[in-house]
Amino acid sequence: MRKRSLIPILYIAFLLLPIYWLVAMSFKTTNEILAGFSLFPQTFTLENYRVIFTDPTWYWGYINSIIYVTINTVISIVVALPAAYAFSRYRFLGDKQLFFWLLTNRMAPAAVFALPFFQLYSAVGLFDTHLAVALAHCLFNIPLAVWILEGFMGGVPKELDETAYVDGYSFPRFFVTIFLPSIKAGVGVAAFFCFMFSWVELLLAKTLTAVEAKPIAATMTKTASSAGYELGLLAAAGTLTIIPGAIVIYFVRNYIAKGFALGRV
Amino acid sequence: MKTVNQKGWFFVLPVLVLVAFNALIPMMTVVNYSVQETFGDNVFFWQGLDWFQQLLNSDRFYAALGRQFMFTGIILAIEVPLGIIIALAMPRQGFWVPVCLVLMALPMLIPWNVVGAMWNIFTLPDIGLLGYLMNTTLGIPYDMTQNPFAAWVTIIVMDVWHWTSLVVLLSYAGLVSIPDAYYQAAKIDGASSWAVFRYIQLPKMKTVLTIAILLRFMDSFNIYTEPFVLTGGGPGNSTTLLSIDLVKMALGQFDLGPAAAMSLIYFAITLLVSWVFYTLMTKDDAK
């Protein structure tokens, strides 16, 4: 083993320590947690997880989150693909300004825009639906998806497009059967980023939902305050929020490695 | 070379409509609030630019803004070099690459309030791993609910924990795109590892580093959920960053007008800094 591999190992250890603590705590009873410090659970319990999997207000939180994150990822990628193509292949009036304007949408302080968002989505009758959160998260996910996809498309030589036209492909057929497969890794990376930012965002998701589409993270804050400070339950719920993310990275890990190897992201 | 084709607008239209719906309408609402005073139920009065004037004369705003710049400055100064160092030390191929990438991406996939709650548990003085180690094992008094310095250290370490991986992943992407021939040429010329870094690796990472730094700037400048869950802006006002102050004003005291004015100034500052940075970093490409 070379000396420099120590750096990533130390870094990963630093990353995993708080996660270990959260997971360890989720297997402890609240009494044990409050009684004092212990590195491992002394009285190992699955009670915290049992509560989450049997109480609909808990497990529906996860289902709601997964639903709106999926809708958002699909919408973001579908509309970002043609836009990224236009940005990478064509020059048109105001293209550079438009591109920068898209980026600026990540900069609005969400904390203050929460109330206007609430009013807007109430006015169009979408309040407390999965679609509302999915659409709201488009604000920061679409620009990012366009940005990433544009980078990947820029790496595909223009000759590919021209050859396809010469061969008599129509544009939609060229796009779907030739172009898309050649930027598959880029689509994977973009989808991963959309999933990630929609999954972790809470402020807008919480503001735009009440009962029907309430995300898990909001369930956590509410239950934590109404039922006292149930540390064990909170830790178990937190642990479960890591799992969908971990599954997604597991599946896209090769795309990420390969996609990043393509060069520009 | 890109061809001039105004049809591009047609491709961009769906993106434009979706983003504009989410960006322009709320923005107009905020602009509206910023020039009005409200009494009771939806009764609004024209207020002019009073809120802006009031804000630009208030110490509270400058204090929060100062803390915000300090936070973002420290974050960038730590995360960018650290991210590059880790990316340089990462394996280039083989089984360990995906393992490293997956483990490193993990913190970014945890919902923000869970990150705050997790670090809260982690640093509790009597029962948290870090808090216990510091206080009992090492004998260093450490309690972020009492000591402003400890609170600052905690939010910074938390952010480094949460986001350094973004810089690592992007820098790594830039590094693996460098063809082997470059390294071989450098080896023949007898270049030192510093020279390789300075003249080969760093320039190649420029594009991705621009993205990484911009993203880290914007996100750390707007950070809200994690520090709010962790410290609630305390102890006292010591970690009340601009966004936390804003929400206190908008929702806590329900001063919609001043809060809206503040968020517009806030937005303008973020925009200005990002724009300056973006132009500086992409200046060479245009030549």
Side-chain angles (χ1 to χ4, degrees):
Chain A
M1 192 148 70
R2 307 225 304 281
K3 212 168 63 186
R4 73 171 195 182
S5 30
L6 208 62
I7 298 174
I9 291 171
L10 281 177
Y11 177 62
I12 288 171
F14 164 64
L15 293 184
L16 292 184
L17 220 54
I19 298 179
Y20 164 74
W21 196 243
L22 188 77
V23 176
M25 210 164 230
S26 70
F27 292 116
K28 293 178 184 176
T29 59
T30 300
N31 281 340
E32 190 195 330
I33 296 170
L34 294 175
F37 178 81
S38 58
L39 201 52
F40 306 102
Q42 305 294 318
T43 43
F44 185 86
T45 175
L46 289 173
E47 175 62 19
N48 298 320
Y49 288 96
R50 196 193 60 80
V51 172
I52 291 171
F53 283 113
T54 51
D55 184 346
T57 53
W58 275 109
Y59 64 73
W60 264 102
Y62 289 98
I63 300 173
N64 287 334
S65 291
I66 291 170
I67 294 175
Y68 72 68
V69 169
T70 312
I71 301 176
N72 171 269
T73 308
V74 172
I75 297 177
S76 300
I77 298 295
V78 167
V79 303
L81 273 171
Y85 184 80
F87 280 122
S88 96
R89 293 293 194 256
Y90 305 143
R91 282 177 55 200
F92 48 94
L93 196 67
D95 55 352
K96 291 210 180 71
Q97 289 79 355
L98 198 63
F99 199 60
F100 188 73
W101 174 74
L102 279 179
L103 294 186
T104 64
N105 290 301
R106 283 190 67 85
M107 300 175 202
V112 176
F113 286 76
L115 190 65
F117 262 95
F118 170 76
Q119 293 172 331
L120 171 64
Y121 281 93
S122 302
V124 293
L126 282 176
F127 178 70
D128 202 15
T129 59
H130 299 107
L131 190 62
V133 187
L135 285 178
H137 284 178
C138 284
L139 176 67
F140 46 83
N141 270 347
I142 288 181
L144 196 72
V146 171
W147 200 359
I148 294 172
L149 287 172
E150 197 267 343
F152 276 93
M153 290 175 180
V156 178
K158 259 206 103 174
E159 285 71 38
L160 188 76
D161 308 31
E162 280 149 15
T163 320
Y165 293 134
V166 172
D167 290 350
Y169 277 83
S170 67
F171 182 77
R173 202 168 142 229
F174 152 75
F175 199 83
V176 174
T177 59
I178 299 179
F179 196 69
L180 266 186
S182 64
I183 55 153
K184 218 167 50 181
V187 176
V189 173
F192 167 72
F193 271 91
C194 290
F195 172 91
M196 173 181 122
F197 280 111
S198 181
W199 178 254
V200 298
E201 204 282 339
L202 171 68
L203 203 73
L204 289 180
K206 205 168 108 182
T207 312
L208 294 177
T209 54
V211 185
E212 290 299 315
K214 194 157 85 170
I216 180 59
T219 315
M220 276 178 69
T221 46
K222 279 226 173 99
T223 313
S225 54
S226 65
Y229 208 42
E230 291 272 3
L231 279 177
L233 200 57
L234 201 70
T239 305
L240 288 176
T241 61
I242 304 178
I243 293 174
I247 293 174
V248 169
I249 6 181
Y250 178 77
F251 280 116
V252 299
R253 71 190 187 288
N254 289 326
Y255 280 124
I256 295 179
K258 247 189 256 163
F260 278 164
L262 252 174
R264 289 186 59 199
V265 175
Chain B
M1 209 46 218
K2 292 177 188 175
T3 43
V4 176
N5 188 342
Q6 300 299 342
K7 238 179 13 193
W9 270 97
F10 182 67
F11 285 74
V12 181
L13 204 63
V15 163
L16 212 61
V17 171
L18 268 175
V19 177
F21 175 74
N22 278 313
L24 296 183
I25 301 174
M27 180 64 106
M28 272 151 51
T29 318
V30 172
V31 172
N32 246 332
Y33 284 150
S34 73
V35 290
Q36 288 175 334
E37 162 74 310
T38 162
F39 290 114
D41 287 336
N42 292 320
V43 189
F44 289 98
F45 297 94
W46 173 253
Q47 184 76 19
L49 295 176
D50 286 5
W51 300 134
F52 290 93
Q53 221 166 26
Q54 218 177 67
L55 203 65
L56 291 173
N57 287 319
S58 87
D59 295 337
R60 177 180 160 178
F61 172 71
Y62 289 109
L65 187 66
R67 282 189 288 265
Q68 186 67 62
F69 267 112
M70 188 160 105
F71 175 74
T72 300
I74 296 175
I75 287 303
L76 286 177
I78 298 177
E79 288 178 9
V80 175
L82 186 67
I84 295 174
I85 291 171
I86 295 166
L88 284 171
M90 274 215 358
R92 290 296 147 75
Q93 49 202 337
F95 169 73
W96 290 106
V97 174
V99 174
C100 280
L101 289 176
V102 169
L103 288 177
M104 284 178 185
L106 214 50
M108 295 193 286
L109 283 153
I110 301 174
W112 294 341
N113 68 329
V114 179
V115 170
M118 187 169 168
W119 275 83
N120 200 335
I121 294 175
F122 190 58
T123 53
L124 284 174
D126 302 328
I127 54 177
L129 184 57
L130 184 67
Y132 185 84
L133 276 180
M134 294 290 274
N135 284 299
T136 313
T137 315
L138 297 174
I140 304 167
Y142 166 81
D143 185 353
M144 57 159 198
T145 57
Q146 303 293 329
N147 181 346
F149 181 72
W152 264 89
V153 171
T154 314
I155 60 169
I156 285 166
V157 173
M158 176 179 71
D159 201 82
V160 168
W161 175 84
H162 194 181
W163 288 114
T164 306
S165 298
L166 187 84
V167 185
V168 175
L169 294 186
L170 289 169
S171 308
Y172 181 72
L175 280 175
V176 291
S177 73
I178 303 173
D180 269 345
Y182 281 56
Y183 291 115
Q184 281 154 12
K187 212 173 171 185
I188 292 166
D189 290 344
S192 66
S193 55
W194 169 252
V196 170
F197 174 71
R198 177 67 190 80
Y199 296 104
I200 298 177
Q201 292 172 323
L202 201 58
K204 275 283 176 185
M205 278 194 287
K206 215 189 84 176
T207 326
V208 280
L209 270 184
T210 311
I211 297 178
I213 296 173
L214 261 178
L215 276 180
R216 275 322 295 135
F217 169 75
M218 292 176 197
D219 290 351
S220 70
F221 208 73
N222 285 333
I223 191 168
Y224 172 73
T225 312
E226 303 98 306
F228 181 76
V229 173
L230 188 66
T231 64
N237 270 333
S238 56
T239 55
T240 304
L241 302 171
L242 201 50
S243 49
I244 296 177
D245 200 25
L246 243 167
V247 175
K248 276 187 186 166
M249 204 185 257
L251 302 177
Q253 303 157 5
F254 225 73
D255 288 335
L256 275 184
M262 187 165 166
S263 65
L264 286 177
I265 297 177
Y266 190 178
F267 183 63
I269 297 172
T270 325
L271 195 66
L272 186 74
V273 178
S274 305
W275 183 78
V276 168
F277 187 77
Y278 182 78
T279 354
L280 281 180
M281 290 294 274
T282 52
K283 180 177 69 181
D284 300 337
D285 301 346
K287 277 180 194 163

